[in-house]
Amino acid sequence: MSSCCTSDGSCSTGTTTETITEARTTVYQVTGMTCGHCESSVSKAVGDVDGILSVDVDVKAGLVTLRSLADPDDALIAKAVDEAGYEVTGRAA
């Protein structure tokens, strides 16, 4: 069985994958996370915010790192985290 994708990221269907090189990284401090379920909940909630490309949650450190094309809206991120049951205490320095 062969793949429809080529080594340059193009597919036989004419679709290409896009590489994003100018993404911004923002780190938030989040309280209340204690386990893998917390990690999943926060990742999904923040990942569902428009413009977010990726989310990395470090439960032990209480940090949520996200990548986005533009500077994220802190209020939208805080709302998403709040709806997941946790609290953003600010951006990490």
Side-chain angles (χ1 to χ4, degrees):
M1 182 185 285
S2 66
S3 171
C4 69
C5 296
T6 64
S7 62
D8 70 354
S10 63
C11 296
S12 61
T13 61
T15 305
T16 59
T17 57
E18 185 177 337
T19 303
I20 299 170
T21 57
E22 307 240 354
R24 295 176 188 242
T25 300
T26 309
V27 182
Y28 292 92
Q29 297 172 331
V30 175
T31 60
M33 301 184 301
T34 59
C35 64
H37 174 56
C38 301
E39 178 181 347
S40 295
S41 296
V42 171
S43 291
K44 175 157 180 25
V46 174
D48 286 347
V49 174
D50 285 341
I52 303 303
L53 303 173
S54 68
V55 180
D56 181 51
V57 178
D58 184 340
V59 172
K60 288 183 180 183
L63 299 175
V64 175
T65 303
L66 57 89
R67 290 177 46 89
S68 57
L69 288 175
D71 199 31
D73 182 330
D74 292 341
L76 285 177
I77 300 302
K79 180 179 178 188
V81 171
D82 183 62
E83 289 175 356
Y86 308 93
E87 181 182 0
V88 171
T89 58
R91 287 192 182 196

